[in-house]
Amino acid sequence: VEIFIVAPSILPAEDIAARAATRKILQKNGVKIIYHRKVVKVLEMDQFPQIQLDDASYMPADILICAVGREPGRNLKDLGLDKAGIKWSNKKGILVNSHLQSVSMKHIYACGDAASAVELSDRRASHAGWTGFHAVQSAILPNFLLPEDTVHPFVPRVTFLHPEVAAIGMTRAECVKKYGHDGFQYLQVDEIGTDRCDIDAIGVFDNELSSSSTSAQGFVELRVSKPDGKILGATAVSTAASEIINEIGLALCSGLTVRDIARSLHTYPSYGYLMHRVSLSLAMNNLPGALSACGPTGRLLGWLLRTALVPVEWTKRRRKSKRMREWEATGTDLEIDHHISSRLNCDVIGLSYFEASADVKFCKLARQHADDELFDRDMLTDFIEWLDSKPPR
């Protein structure tokens, strides 16, 4: 049995590292991915579907599954909402205000996928339960008792592969867009080489880790603000990634910092211990963080230093224009195709445009081969256009 995935990209809303790990997991399980292509038409030939792609090529298939997302309109269209005077749309669902109350009929409330206040990326089972509770609350309580967060600000995003791919909070590109590339801190650590990874490798031939181990693609990444170390977001690829992300969700809701996670003991060698190591590294990689581990006086000195650094970081951010931050964020979110990397003989596999732009050799070769038919000219052209669009400081 051959399984093909035809898609412009995999998990486009997540960071490049998560996309790359997902690609490796799928390929390890025998799935073949056709990137940067779209299905134009489906034809029936000899009672079996033939798929026409946007490059005019065809693919035979026995079974065709269309993963095109979901729209609430399909489940709402037969409810007679128009007759009841309830405004709604196919994509957004019932149009509601911040209290999940219909904008047209004040005695009607909606939740989950059916509520327009819930973003498409946040329409998940656990969030449906959360908004359902708040919809009922909004219906029976007076306005002065209603909370502001009827739609949860931190919804975990999990793709249940093996290992799992999970994230929460701001992606790296979103952090760059808000703070600039050097306006926040992040650290990514691989599972490979850890004791947890070695335990998972037991049973592999000669007890050596190979691509058959789920930890081969595993990592955790934590993103924090400067200089206070407040947690902004995290990504994890692990057998227990969904559980690791739950811990970061608690930290985000409570406004915790990496120092708070670093002070909490984690069982060893658990999957979550790697997140503790990342937090500890981020907490101790500067003088204020090191002082904060030195008793009450050290914590006071660390707090004073961080407070003094706040206007410094704010000034740095102000000096970097919004256009520059957006340019950096765009480059952080676009990935260099691995085929391009191998053909140009440059080690930029899995790198973003922004990271690859630091490789002078790659930039030079990209310009030289932008019109070469042997390469993906669209990708090279996109990279050069992004590179040349860098705004002045």
Side-chain angles (χ1 to χ4, degrees), residues 107-142:
H107 64 291
I108 300 295
Y109 295 82
C111 64
D113 291 9
S116 63
V118 181
E119 296 293 336
L120 182 62
S121 59
D122 292 339
R123 291 179 177 177
R124 301 170 190 273
S126 57
H127 199 203
W130 171 275
T131 55
F133 169 79
H134 283 287
V136 173
Q137 191 180 53
S138 296
I140 63 177
L141 293 180

PDB file of all heavy atoms in Angstrom, residues 107-142:
ATOM      1  N   HIS A 107     -30.799  36.571  22.797  1.00  0.00           N
ATOM      2  CA  HIS A 107     -31.084  35.426  23.665  1.00  0.00           C
ATOM      3  C   HIS A 107     -30.457  34.133  23.126  1.00  0.00           C
ATOM      4  O   HIS A 107     -30.680  33.054  23.686  1.00  0.00           O
ATOM      5  CB  HIS A 107     -32.592  35.239  23.824  1.00  0.00           C
ATOM      6  CG  HIS A 107     -33.295  34.894  22.547  1.00  0.00           C
ATOM      7  ND1 HIS A 107     -33.440  35.800  21.511  1.00  0.00           N
ATOM      8  CD2 HIS A 107     -33.884  33.743  22.130  1.00  0.00           C
ATOM      9  CE1 HIS A 107     -34.092  35.226  20.510  1.00  0.00           C
ATOM     10  NE2 HIS A 107     -34.369  33.973  20.862  1.00  0.00           N
ATOM     11  N   ILE A 108     -29.672  34.256  22.072  1.00  0.00           N
ATOM     12  CA  ILE A 108     -29.017  33.094  21.477  1.00  0.00           C
ATOM     13  C   ILE A 108     -27.517  33.149  21.763  1.00  0.00           C
ATOM     14  O   ILE A 108     -26.876  34.190  21.614  1.00  0.00           O
ATOM     15  CB  ILE A 108     -29.251  33.039  19.953  1.00  0.00           C
ATOM     16  CG1 ILE A 108     -30.753  32.950  19.643  1.00  0.00           C
ATOM     17  CG2 ILE A 108     -28.493  31.874  19.322  1.00  0.00           C
ATOM     18  CD1 ILE A 108     -31.409  31.674  20.114  1.00  0.00           C
ATOM     19  N   TYR A 109     -26.943  32.003  22.155  1.00  0.00           N
ATOM     20  CA  TYR A 109     -25.508  31.897  22.423  1.00  0.00           C
ATOM     21  C   TYR A 109     -24.935  30.717  21.643  1.00  0.00           C
ATOM     22  O   TYR A 109     -25.650  29.739  21.369  1.00  0.00           O
ATOM     23  CB  TYR A 109     -25.247  31.715  23.923  1.00  0.00           C
ATOM     24  CG  TYR A 109     -25.654  32.915  24.748  1.00  0.00           C
ATOM     25  CD1 TYR A 109     -26.984  33.104  25.128  1.00  0.00           C
ATOM     26  CD2 TYR A 109     -24.723  33.869  25.136  1.00  0.00           C
ATOM     27  CE1 TYR A 109     -27.371  34.214  25.863  1.00  0.00           C
ATOM     28  CE2 TYR A 109     -25.097  34.985  25.881  1.00  0.00           C
ATOM     29  CZ  TYR A 109     -26.424  35.144  26.229  1.00  0.00           C
ATOM     30  OH  TYR A 109     -26.792  36.246  26.955  1.00  0.00           O
ATOM     31  N   ALA A 110     -23.673  30.808  21.278  1.00  0.00           N
ATOM     32  CA  ALA A 110     -23.029  29.736  20.516  1.00  0.00           C
ATOM     33  C   ALA A 110     -21.666  29.429  21.125  1.00  0.00           C
ATOM     34  O   ALA A 110     -21.069  30.254  21.819  1.00  0.00           O
ATOM     35  CB  ALA A 110     -22.868  30.144  19.050  1.00  0.00           C
ATOM     36  N   CYS A 111     -21.171  28.237  20.875  1.00  0.00           N
ATOM     37  CA  CYS A 111     -19.866  27.843  21.417  1.00  0.00           C
ATOM     38  C   CYS A 111     -19.163  26.906  20.443  1.00  0.00           C
ATOM     39  O   CYS A 111     -19.748  26.450  19.457  1.00  0.00           O
ATOM     40  CB  CYS A 111     -20.032  27.173  22.787  1.00  0.00           C
ATOM     41  SG  CYS A 111     -20.964  25.623  22.727  1.00  0.00           S
ATOM     42  N   GLY A 112     -17.882  26.615  20.739  1.00  0.00           N
ATOM     43  CA  GLY A 112     -17.124  25.672  19.927  1.00  0.00           C
ATOM     44  C   GLY A 112     -17.003  26.088  18.479  1.00  0.00           C
ATOM     45  O   GLY A 112     -16.871  27.277  18.157  1.00  0.00           O
ATOM     46  N   ASP A 113     -17.077  25.120  17.573  1.00  0.00           N
ATOM     47  CA  ASP A 113     -16.935  25.386  16.142  1.00  0.00           C
ATOM     48  C   ASP A 113     -18.017  26.314  15.612  1.00  0.00           C
ATOM     49  O   ASP A 113     -17.834  26.968  14.577  1.00  0.00           O
ATOM     50  CB  ASP A 113     -16.993  24.068  15.357  1.00  0.00           C
ATOM     51  CG  ASP A 113     -15.769  23.202  15.590  1.00  0.00           C
ATOM     52  OD1 ASP A 113     -14.984  23.541  16.484  1.00  0.00           O
ATOM     53  OD2 ASP A 113     -15.609  22.200  14.879  1.00  0.00           O
ATOM     54  N   ALA A 114     -19.169  26.375  16.290  1.00  0.00           N
ATOM     55  CA  ALA A 114     -20.299  27.148  15.784  1.00  0.00           C
ATOM     56  C   ALA A 114     -20.189  28.633  16.102  1.00  0.00           C
ATOM     57  O   ALA A 114     -21.000  29.417  15.616  1.00  0.00           O
ATOM     58  CB  ALA A 114     -21.603  26.606  16.371  1.00  0.00           C
ATOM     59  N   ALA A 115     -19.202  29.040  16.923  1.00  0.00           N
ATOM     60  CA  ALA A 115     -19.087  30.436  17.345  1.00  0.00           C
ATOM     61  C   ALA A 115     -18.022  31.156  16.543  1.00  0.00           C
ATOM     62  O   ALA A 115     -16.882  30.684  16.425  1.00  0.00           O
ATOM     63  CB  ALA A 115     -18.760  30.518  18.835  1.00  0.00           C
ATOM     64  N   SER A 116     -18.361  32.308  15.995  1.00  0.00           N
ATOM     65  CA  SER A 116     -17.407  33.062  15.170  1.00  0.00           C
ATOM     66  C   SER A 116     -16.239  33.594  15.989  1.00  0.00           C
ATOM     67  O   SER A 116     -15.179  33.876  15.431  1.00  0.00           O
ATOM     68  CB  SER A 116     -18.129  34.237  14.492  1.00  0.00           C
ATOM     69  OG  SER A 116     -18.624  35.163  15.459  1.00  0.00           O
ATOM     70  N   ALA A 117     -16.398  33.746  17.303  1.00  0.00           N
ATOM     71  CA  ALA A 117     -15.330  34.281  18.154  1.00  0.00           C
ATOM     72  C   ALA A 117     -14.161  33.308  18.282  1.00  0.00           C
ATOM     73  O   ALA A 117     -13.058  33.711  18.662  1.00  0.00           O
ATOM     74  CB  ALA A 117     -15.875  34.611  19.538  1.00  0.00           C
ATOM     75  N   VAL A 118     -14.395  32.029  17.972  1.00  0.00           N
ATOM     76  CA  VAL A 118     -13.353  31.014  18.081  1.00  0.00           C
ATOM     77  C   VAL A 118     -12.605  30.933  16.757  1.00  0.00           C
ATOM     78  O   VAL A 118     -13.196  30.625  15.721  1.00  0.00           O
ATOM     79  CB  VAL A 118     -13.947  29.636  18.442  1.00  0.00           C
ATOM     80  CG1 VAL A 118     -12.842  28.593  18.563  1.00  0.00           C
ATOM     81  CG2 VAL A 118     -14.742  29.724  19.739  1.00  0.00           C
ATOM     82  N   GLU A 119     -11.297  31.231  16.798  1.00  0.00           N
ATOM     83  CA  GLU A 119     -10.480  31.175  15.587  1.00  0.00           C
ATOM     84  C   GLU A 119     -10.418  29.759  15.033  1.00  0.00           C
ATOM     85  O   GLU A 119     -10.505  28.779  15.779  1.00  0.00           O
ATOM     86  CB  GLU A 119      -9.061  31.675  15.878  1.00  0.00           C
ATOM     87  CG  GLU A 119      -8.970  33.131  16.278  1.00  0.00           C
ATOM     88  CD  GLU A 119      -9.337  34.078  15.148  1.00  0.00           C
ATOM     89  OE1 GLU A 119      -9.214  33.669  13.975  1.00  0.00           O
ATOM     90  OE2 GLU A 119      -9.744  35.211  15.444  1.00  0.00           O
ATOM     91  N   LEU A 120     -10.250  29.657  13.720  1.00  0.00           N
ATOM     92  CA  LEU A 120     -10.213  28.348  13.063  1.00  0.00           C
ATOM     93  C   LEU A 120      -9.149  27.444  13.672  1.00  0.00           C
ATOM     94  O   LEU A 120      -9.386  26.258  13.915  1.00  0.00           O
ATOM     95  CB  LEU A 120      -9.971  28.526  11.558  1.00  0.00           C
ATOM     96  CG  LEU A 120      -9.946  27.254  10.719  1.00  0.00           C
ATOM     97  CD1 LEU A 120     -11.291  26.548  10.780  1.00  0.00           C
ATOM     98  CD2 LEU A 120      -9.585  27.568   9.271  1.00  0.00           C
ATOM     99  N   SER A 121      -7.971  28.000  13.958  1.00  0.00           N
ATOM    100  CA  SER A 121      -6.875  27.190  14.511  1.00  0.00           C
ATOM    101  C   SER A 121      -7.138  26.756  15.948  1.00  0.00           C
ATOM    102  O   SER A 121      -6.471  25.857  16.458  1.00  0.00           O
ATOM    103  CB  SER A 121      -5.565  27.984  14.456  1.00  0.00           C
ATOM    104  OG  SER A 121      -5.684  29.185  15.194  1.00  0.00           O
ATOM    105  N   ASP A 122      -8.114  27.392  16.616  1.00  0.00           N
ATOM    106  CA  ASP A 122      -8.413  27.070  18.019  1.00  0.00           C
ATOM    107  C   ASP A 122      -9.658  26.214  18.178  1.00  0.00           C
ATOM    108  O   ASP A 122     -10.121  25.993  19.299  1.00  0.00           O
ATOM    109  CB  ASP A 122      -8.594  28.366  18.825  1.00  0.00           C
ATOM    110  CG  ASP A 122      -7.298  29.145  18.961  1.00  0.00           C
ATOM    111  OD1 ASP A 122      -6.225  28.546  18.806  1.00  0.00           O
ATOM    112  OD2 ASP A 122      -7.364  30.366  19.215  1.00  0.00           O
ATOM    113  N   ARG A 123     -10.210  25.730  17.074  1.00  0.00           N
ATOM    114  CA  ARG A 123     -11.433  24.923  17.154  1.00  0.00           C
ATOM    115  C   ARG A 123     -11.071  23.477  17.453  1.00  0.00           C
ATOM    116  O   ARG A 123     -10.921  22.652  16.552  1.00  0.00           O
ATOM    117  CB  ARG A 123     -12.231  25.072  15.858  1.00  0.00           C
ATOM    118  CG  ARG A 123     -12.824  26.460  15.709  1.00  0.00           C
ATOM    119  CD  ARG A 123     -13.611  26.662  14.439  1.00  0.00           C
ATOM    120  NE  ARG A 123     -14.203  28.005  14.426  1.00  0.00           N
ATOM    121  CZ  ARG A 123     -14.894  28.501  13.421  1.00  0.00           C
ATOM    122  NH1 ARG A 123     -15.082  27.778  12.330  1.00  0.00           N
ATOM    123  NH2 ARG A 123     -15.404  29.724  13.492  1.00  0.00           N
ATOM    124  N   ARG A 124     -10.931  23.204  18.741  1.00  0.00           N
ATOM    125  CA  ARG A 124     -10.518  21.883  19.220  1.00  0.00           C
ATOM    126  C   ARG A 124     -11.473  21.424  20.309  1.00  0.00           C
ATOM    127  O   ARG A 124     -12.169  22.235  20.927  1.00  0.00           O
ATOM    128  CB  ARG A 124      -9.073  21.928  19.709  1.00  0.00           C
ATOM    129  CG  ARG A 124      -8.130  22.380  18.585  1.00  0.00           C
ATOM    130  CD  ARG A 124      -6.730  22.666  19.058  1.00  0.00           C
ATOM    131  NE  ARG A 124      -5.978  23.313  17.989  1.00  0.00           N
ATOM    132  CZ  ARG A 124      -5.304  22.677  17.037  1.00  0.00           C
ATOM    133  NH1 ARG A 124      -5.282  21.356  17.037  1.00  0.00           N
ATOM    134  NH2 ARG A 124      -4.650  23.337  16.104  1.00  0.00           N
ATOM    135  N   ALA A 125     -11.483  20.110  20.572  1.00  0.00           N
ATOM    136  CA  ALA A 125     -12.474  19.520  21.470  1.00  0.00           C
ATOM    137  C   ALA A 125     -12.439  20.142  22.862  1.00  0.00           C
ATOM    138  O   ALA A 125     -13.482  20.488  23.430  1.00  0.00           O
ATOM    139  CB  ALA A 125     -12.256  18.013  21.548  1.00  0.00           C
ATOM    140  N   SER A 126     -11.244  20.290  23.428  1.00  0.00           N
ATOM    141  CA  SER A 126     -11.143  20.841  24.780  1.00  0.00           C
ATOM    142  C   SER A 126     -11.610  22.293  24.826  1.00  0.00           C
ATOM    143  O   SER A 126     -12.228  22.729  25.806  1.00  0.00           O
ATOM    144  CB  SER A 126      -9.696  20.741  25.284  1.00  0.00           C
ATOM    145  OG  SER A 126      -8.800  21.409  24.395  1.00  0.00           O
ATOM    146  N   HIS A 127     -11.341  23.042  23.741  1.00  0.00           N
ATOM    147  CA  HIS A 127     -11.756  24.435  23.700  1.00  0.00           C
ATOM    148  C   HIS A 127     -13.268  24.544  23.529  1.00  0.00           C
ATOM    149  O   HIS A 127     -13.900  25.497  24.026  1.00  0.00           O
ATOM    150  CB  HIS A 127     -11.045  25.157  22.562  1.00  0.00           C
ATOM    151  CG  HIS A 127     -11.045  26.644  22.707  1.00  0.00           C
ATOM    152  ND1 HIS A 127     -10.889  27.500  21.644  1.00  0.00           N
ATOM    153  CD2 HIS A 127     -11.186  27.443  23.798  1.00  0.00           C
ATOM    154  CE1 HIS A 127     -10.923  28.748  22.068  1.00  0.00           C
ATOM    155  NE2 HIS A 127     -11.110  28.741  23.368  1.00  0.00           N
ATOM    156  N   ALA A 128     -13.880  23.563  22.849  1.00  0.00           N
ATOM    157  CA  ALA A 128     -15.338  23.557  22.709  1.00  0.00           C
ATOM    158  C   ALA A 128     -16.001  23.420  24.075  1.00  0.00           C
ATOM    159  O   ALA A 128     -17.004  24.084  24.367  1.00  0.00           O
ATOM    160  CB  ALA A 128     -15.771  22.419  21.783  1.00  0.00           C
ATOM    161  N   GLY A 129     -15.434  22.561  24.922  1.00  0.00           N
ATOM    162  CA  GLY A 129     -15.962  22.414  26.276  1.00  0.00           C
ATOM    163  C   GLY A 129     -15.829  23.698  27.078  1.00  0.00           C
ATOM    164  O   GLY A 129     -16.741  24.097  27.812  1.00  0.00           O
ATOM    165  N   TRP A 130     -14.660  24.366  26.912  1.00  0.00           N
ATOM    166  CA  TRP A 130     -14.415  25.629  27.614  1.00  0.00           C
ATOM    167  C   TRP A 130     -15.431  26.697  27.194  1.00  0.00           C
ATOM    168  O   TRP A 130     -16.047  27.356  28.045  1.00  0.00           O
ATOM    169  CB  TRP A 130     -12.994  26.103  27.307  1.00  0.00           C
ATOM    170  CG  TRP A 130     -12.662  27.487  27.776  1.00  0.00           C
ATOM    171  CD1 TRP A 130     -12.907  28.661  27.110  1.00  0.00           C
ATOM    172  CD2 TRP A 130     -12.026  27.859  29.002  1.00  0.00           C
ATOM    173  NE1 TRP A 130     -12.458  29.733  27.831  1.00  0.00           N
ATOM    174  CE2 TRP A 130     -11.908  29.275  29.002  1.00  0.00           C
ATOM    175  CE3 TRP A 130     -11.524  27.150  30.086  1.00  0.00           C
ATOM    176  CZ2 TRP A 130     -11.324  29.972  30.046  1.00  0.00           C
ATOM    177  CZ3 TRP A 130     -10.944  27.859  31.132  1.00  0.00           C
ATOM    178  CH2 TRP A 130     -10.841  29.243  31.108  1.00  0.00           C
ATOM    179  N   THR A 131     -15.609  26.864  25.898  1.00  0.00           N
ATOM    180  CA  THR A 131     -16.543  27.885  25.416  1.00  0.00           C
ATOM    181  C   THR A 131     -17.991  27.500  25.720  1.00  0.00           C
ATOM    182  O   THR A 131     -18.844  28.379  25.911  1.00  0.00           O
ATOM    183  CB  THR A 131     -16.376  28.123  23.901  1.00  0.00           C
ATOM    184  OG1 THR A 131     -16.513  26.887  23.196  1.00  0.00           O
ATOM    185  CG2 THR A 131     -15.012  28.724  23.597  1.00  0.00           C
ATOM    186  N   GLY A 132     -18.288  26.197  25.775  1.00  0.00           N
ATOM    187  CA  GLY A 132     -19.632  25.765  26.133  1.00  0.00           C
ATOM    188  C   GLY A 132     -19.990  26.188  27.553  1.00  0.00           C
ATOM    189  O   GLY A 132     -21.104  26.685  27.814  1.00  0.00           O
ATOM    190  N   PHE A 133     -19.041  26.008  28.463  1.00  0.00           N
ATOM    191  CA  PHE A 133     -19.258  26.439  29.853  1.00  0.00           C
ATOM    192  C   PHE A 133     -19.507  27.949  29.916  1.00  0.00           C
ATOM    193  O   PHE A 133     -20.430  28.419  30.593  1.00  0.00           O
ATOM    194  CB  PHE A 133     -18.041  26.064  30.701  1.00  0.00           C
ATOM    195  CG  PHE A 133     -18.037  26.686  32.069  1.00  0.00           C
ATOM    196  CD1 PHE A 133     -18.810  26.164  33.092  1.00  0.00           C
ATOM    197  CD2 PHE A 133     -17.264  27.810  32.328  1.00  0.00           C
ATOM    198  CE1 PHE A 133     -18.811  26.744  34.361  1.00  0.00           C
ATOM    199  CE2 PHE A 133     -17.256  28.397  33.584  1.00  0.00           C
ATOM    200  CZ  PHE A 133     -18.034  27.866  34.598  1.00  0.00           C
ATOM    201  N   HIS A 134     -18.690  28.708  29.180  1.00  0.00           N
ATOM    202  CA  HIS A 134     -18.813  30.167  29.241  1.00  0.00           C
ATOM    203  C   HIS A 134     -20.045  30.679  28.501  1.00  0.00           C
ATOM    204  O   HIS A 134     -20.571  31.754  28.847  1.00  0.00           O
ATOM    205  CB  HIS A 134     -17.538  30.812  28.696  1.00  0.00           C
ATOM    206  CG  HIS A 134     -16.404  30.775  29.669  1.00  0.00           C
ATOM    207  ND1 HIS A 134     -16.343  31.575  30.783  1.00  0.00           N
ATOM    208  CD2 HIS A 134     -15.290  29.996  29.707  1.00  0.00           C
ATOM    209  CE1 HIS A 134     -15.232  31.317  31.463  1.00  0.00           C
ATOM    210  NE2 HIS A 134     -14.586  30.363  30.838  1.00  0.00           N
ATOM    211  N   ALA A 135     -20.510  29.947  27.501  1.00  0.00           N
ATOM    212  CA  ALA A 135     -21.750  30.345  26.841  1.00  0.00           C
ATOM    213  C   ALA A 135     -22.932  30.234  27.808  1.00  0.00           C
ATOM    214  O   ALA A 135     -23.788  31.131  27.875  1.00  0.00           O
ATOM    215  CB  ALA A 135     -21.993  29.474  25.607  1.00  0.00           C
ATOM    216  N   VAL A 136     -22.961  29.141  28.568  1.00  0.00           N
ATOM    217  CA  VAL A 136     -24.017  28.975  29.577  1.00  0.00           C
ATOM    218  C   VAL A 136     -23.882  30.042  30.653  1.00  0.00           C
ATOM    219  O   VAL A 136     -24.870  30.642  31.108  1.00  0.00           O
ATOM    220  CB  VAL A 136     -23.950  27.559  30.190  1.00  0.00           C
ATOM    221  CG1 VAL A 136     -24.935  27.440  31.349  1.00  0.00           C
ATOM    222  CG2 VAL A 136     -24.239  26.504  29.139  1.00  0.00           C
ATOM    223  N   GLN A 137     -22.649  30.291  31.075  1.00  0.00           N
ATOM    224  CA  GLN A 137     -22.389  31.316  32.090  1.00  0.00           C
ATOM    225  C   GLN A 137     -22.858  32.691  31.613  1.00  0.00           C
ATOM    226  O   GLN A 137     -23.482  33.452  32.367  1.00  0.00           O
ATOM    227  CB  GLN A 137     -20.890  31.337  32.410  1.00  0.00           C
ATOM    228  CG  GLN A 137     -20.497  32.161  33.615  1.00  0.00           C
ATOM    229  CD  GLN A 137     -18.998  32.126  33.851  1.00  0.00           C
ATOM    230  OE1 GLN A 137     -18.210  32.416  32.946  1.00  0.00           O
ATOM    231  NE2 GLN A 137     -18.591  31.757  35.051  1.00  0.00           N
ATOM    232  N   SER A 138     -22.569  33.018  30.357  1.00  0.00           N
ATOM    233  CA  SER A 138     -22.978  34.310  29.810  1.00  0.00           C
ATOM    234  C   SER A 138     -24.496  34.438  29.738  1.00  0.00           C
ATOM    235  O   SER A 138     -25.048  35.537  29.851  1.00  0.00           O
ATOM    236  CB  SER A 138     -22.383  34.501  28.410  1.00  0.00           C
ATOM    237  OG  SER A 138     -20.975  34.543  28.465  1.00  0.00           O
ATOM    238  N   ALA A 139     -25.177  33.306  29.548  1.00  0.00           N
ATOM    239  CA  ALA A 139     -26.631  33.326  29.404  1.00  0.00           C
ATOM    240  C   ALA A 139     -27.348  33.549  30.736  1.00  0.00           C
ATOM    241  O   ALA A 139     -28.453  34.096  30.751  1.00  0.00           O
ATOM    242  CB  ALA A 139     -27.111  32.026  28.767  1.00  0.00           C
ATOM    243  N   ILE A 140     -26.734  33.151  31.859  1.00  0.00           N
ATOM    244  CA  ILE A 140     -27.459  33.195  33.138  1.00  0.00           C
ATOM    245  C   ILE A 140     -26.920  34.223  34.125  1.00  0.00           C
ATOM    246  O   ILE A 140     -27.602  34.548  35.104  1.00  0.00           O
ATOM    247  CB  ILE A 140     -27.473  31.796  33.808  1.00  0.00           C
ATOM    248  CG1 ILE A 140     -26.049  31.341  34.146  1.00  0.00           C
ATOM    249  CG2 ILE A 140     -28.174  30.779  32.912  1.00  0.00           C
ATOM    250  CD1 ILE A 140     -25.986  30.003  34.877  1.00  0.00           C
ATOM    251  N   LEU A 141     -25.713  34.752  33.885  1.00  0.00           N
ATOM    252  CA  LEU A 141     -25.126  35.696  34.837  1.00  0.00           C
ATOM    253  C   LEU A 141     -25.210  37.125  34.306  1.00  0.00           C
ATOM    254  O   LEU A 141     -25.173  37.345  33.094  1.00  0.00           O
ATOM    255  CB  LEU A 141     -23.654  35.342  35.102  1.00  0.00           C
ATOM    256  CG  LEU A 141     -23.371  34.031  35.843  1.00  0.00           C
ATOM    257  CD1 LEU A 141     -21.867  33.849  36.021  1.00  0.00           C
ATOM    258  CD2 LEU A 141     -24.073  33.993  37.190  1.00  0.00           C
ATOM    259  N   PRO A 142     -25.282  38.104  35.208  1.00  0.00           N
ATOM    260  CA  PRO A 142     -25.242  39.508  34.766  1.00  0.00           C
ATOM    261  C   PRO A 142     -23.857  39.866  34.237  1.00  0.00           C
ATOM    262  O   PRO A 142     -22.859  39.227  34.582  1.00  0.00           O
ATOM    263  CB  PRO A 142     -25.568  40.287  36.048  1.00  0.00           C
ATOM    264  CG  PRO A 142     -25.210  39.363  37.163  1.00  0.00           C
ATOM    265  CD  PRO A 142     -25.479  37.976  36.668  1.00  0.00           C
TER     266      PRO A 142
END
